[in-house]
Amino acid sequence: MNDFNPTAYQLETYATGRRFADSGWLLDDPACQTPSLIRAFYQKKQIEFRSAEHGIYRFADWLPVRRTLQGSCAPVTYKSRGLASRLGLENLYITFNGYYPEIGVGMDTCSFKETEAYSVCGRLDPDCGKVLVVASAGNTARAFAKVCSENHIPLLLCVPADNLDALWFEKPLNDCVKLLSVQKGGDYFDAINLSNIVLKSPLFLAEGGAKNIARRDGMSTTVLSAAEAIGRIPDFYFQAVGSGTGAIAAWEANLRLIEDGRFGSRKMKLMVSQNAPFLPMYNAWKAGSRNLLAYDDNQARTDAESINAKVLSNRKPPYGIAGGLFDALKDTGGDVFKVSNSQARQAQELFAETEGIDIYSAAGVAAYSLMECVREGRVGKSDTIMLNITGGGEKRFQKGKELWHLAPSMTFPIDPDPQTAIEFAQSLFS
């Protein structure tokens, strides 16, 4: 947008409260001796919601971006009738991220990972001379590939071979996007390991995952959408989690909305869920532990392979780090749930029947945990509930289309030779 000026903000370290200026791509506080997330504190305390034509950047007052990019779409929140009636809820609001043109949302990748990609790439200096590196279990890679391809941003993706079917697109990508994969049997953590090896070359720049304020604040637009539509902060927030970054972002948005002063002072309870049997955060939370419990690598890979919601298979999530999911759950009085594949499918079918659109497995995990809380009386019929549907509309979007798939330039073993990986990755951008 021609009228856009870079957003003014400072950074704050959760562990110490120290505030400091952002040098451009800081992922942590160099003065902090303990692991801690950093947060953005925006100069504009009361957010101005721009018109829909601005896409995700309608929330730019609270996004750490220096420029806007073409092709974005913001999440859309609406009051449920079908699912709400079936569950006996009077104030169920659905925040939809995906492809659902009937309600005005058109994310071509059908996932809320687009909110991350447009924010992160908007923070990136286009003249930095480096290649952005993103490790992903699937949906994040698809979102970053779309955004970088359409805006000519050099990008290197690292994705497990078992998840490559998620890299579908409506049309071929720009050659600035490249892909490396990890052999079958490897998981998201193995893809992260490959990306960390490549990042030893000065040519590459780490996207940063949960540590990147732009990723979290991009995802926080789901809560901003809900607060705008409802007129206040919800009582409950439901979402499935793999890393927990989206729930951390929701918490941070909640705190900003309290400071805004127009949406109330409540802290919505974070009700997050994992896809059984892959349950590292569920198990730690139920044990009352800030630290994740011991989890055998091979067992973790097996469990990750067995779940339908592959995007929820992060073995090293930002759970115990200062400002991470543990702190978010404690501060909001939240809880963690477990949902099986069959239970998630049941919720997906109910959602399609009552709301008229297909949703991803991860969204089904979140929807089932809401159903469970209704049955157990943990939420009341008059409570204001936000259900974050993190992906949906894929069947609607793909219908009648011939899709194009991004193929890896190289597939590496689970334990790749570092020098080989670095040299090959560099050659892709020479």
Side-chain angles (χ1 to χ4, degrees):
M1 304 300 170
N2 294 329
D3 62 347
F4 180 77
N5 293 313
T7 309
Y9 64 93
Q10 282 189 307
L11 299 176
E12 181 177 283
T13 306
Y14 182 83
T16 64
R18 186 177 91 91
R19 289 197 183 183
F20 54 102
D22 184 8
S23 62
W25 198 255
L26 286 175
L27 300 175
D28 49 35
D29 178 0
C32 186
Q33 301 302 309
T34 58
S36 175
L37 294 181
I38 55 176
R39 295 178 175 182
F41 272 76
Y42 295 100
Q43 186 177 71
K44 196 163 185 178
K45 297 304 180 187
Q46 287 197 330
I47 187 170
E48 176 188 347
F49 299 111
R50 292 171 171 81
S51 58
E53 66 182 16
H54 290 262
I56 193 73
Y57 303 110
R58 63 188 306 265
F59 303 111
D61 287 345
W62 290 356
L63 293 175
V65 292
R66 65 177 71 216
R67 60 173 176 154
T68 63
L69 303 172
Q70 296 301 310
S72 73
C73 178
V76 171
T77 300
Y78 67 96
K79 189 171 186 179
S80 169
R81 291 182 173 82
L83 182 61
S85 176
R86 190 68 63 89
L87 298 181
L89 297 173
E90 297 173 352
N91 296 297
L92 172 60
Y93 289 84
I94 294 170
T95 300
F96 197 91
N97 303 266
Y99 186 76
Y100 197 178
E102 289 85 350
I103 66 167
V105 60
M107 296 178 181
D108 291 350
T109 65
C110 305
S111 167
F112 90 140
K113 298 300 183 178
E114 278 192 32
T115 65
E116 304 175 17
Y118 279 105
S119 181
V120 168
C121 293
R123 185 189 184 200
L124 182 67
D125 182 352
D127 299 318
C128 69
K130 292 180 179 289
V131 177
L132 190 65
V133 177
V134 173
S136 169
N139 286 351
T140 299
R142 189 167 71 253
F144 272 88
K146 165 192 159 60
V147 175
C148 290
S149 174
E150 292 180 354
N151 291 278
H152 306 285
I153 299 169
L155 172 69
L156 179 64
L157 299 169
C158 297
V159 177
D162 289 329
N163 298 33
L164 292 179
D165 59 351
L167 297 184
W168 55 262
F169 301 91
E170 190 175 13
K171 59 186 178 182
L173 299 179
N174 186 289
D175 198 45
C176 65
V177 177
K178 304 292 184 181
L179 169 65
L180 302 179
S181 69
V182 179
Q183 70 179 47
K184 286 187 176 295
D187 65 1
Y188 177 38
F189 182 70
D190 298 313
I192 293 174
N193 180 56
L194 176 59
S195 73
N196 287 338
I197 291 172
V198 169
L199 285 164
K200 293 177 182 177
S201 164
L203 174 63
F204 299 105
L205 177 69
E207 181 271 328
K211 291 185 175 182
N212 193 323
I213 56 168
R215 176 178 276 216
R216 302 201 311 274
D217 292 357
M219 284 190 282
S220 78
T221 59
T222 58
V223 175
L224 304 183
S225 167
E228 180 189 23
I230 302 168
R232 72 177 186 90
I233 298 165
D235 299 315
F236 292 91
Y237 171 93
F238 282 83
Q239 187 200 313
V241 292
S243 68
T245 308
I248 299 167
W251 174 45
E252 292 174 337
N254 191 160
L255 298 178
R256 290 188 187 110
L257 289 167
I258 291 172
E259 191 172 1
D260 180 299
R262 295 172 295 172
F263 300 93
S265 59
R266 67 178 45 79
K267 290 180 181 176
M268 58 187 182
K269 292 181 181 294
L270 299 180
M271 312 293 270
V272 301
S273 44
Q274 294 210 276
N275 192 177
F278 188 87
L279 302 168
M281 290 187 285
Y282 172 87
N283 289 332
W285 178 253
K286 293 305 181 183
S289 173
R290 171 180 285 274
N291 299 314
L292 296 174
L293 308 183
Y295 200 176
D296 177 76
D297 286 348
N298 290 328
Q299 185 61 52
R301 290 189 183 101
T302 298
D303 291 346
E305 174 59 27
S306 70
I307 62 174
N308 288 341
K310 296 290 192 290
V311 295
L312 305 182
S313 60
N314 190 334
R315 270 194 275 155
K316 302 291 183 181
Y319 172 78
I321 188 172
L325 185 62
F326 182 85
D327 286 327
L329 290 167
K330 283 289 186 181
D331 190 50
T332 64
D335 204 354
V336 187
F337 304 88
K338 62 178 178 179
V339 175
S340 69
N341 287 338
S342 61
Q343 289 170 333
R345 282 194 296 269
Q346 179 185 334
Q348 287 175 272
E349 292 168 1
L350 179 62
F351 195 95
E353 177 190 341
T354 56
E355 296 294 333
I357 192 75
D358 59 285
I359 59 174
Y360 281 154
S361 296
V365 169
Y368 188 87
S369 63
L370 170 61
M371 293 160 57
E372 188 174 47
C373 284
V374 170
R375 283 194 297 268
E376 295 176 354
R378 297 190 59 173
V379 297
K381 69 175 184 178
S382 62
D383 287 331
T384 300
I385 299 163
M386 173 187 169
L387 173 60
N388 190 7
I389 295 297
T390 51
E394 183 175 292
K395 293 179 182 177
R396 178 80 57 86
F397 181 80
Q398 292 185 356
K399 187 176 182 180
K401 291 185 173 73
E402 185 174 344
L403 301 175
W404 182 87
H405 284 77
L406 179 62
S409 298
M410 173 82 75
T411 298
F412 288 91
I414 289 175
D415 294 311
D417 175 68
Q419 193 61 33
T420 301
I422 292 170
E423 290 178 356
F424 183 81
Q426 288 175 328
S427 73
L428 295 175
F429 297 90
S430 60

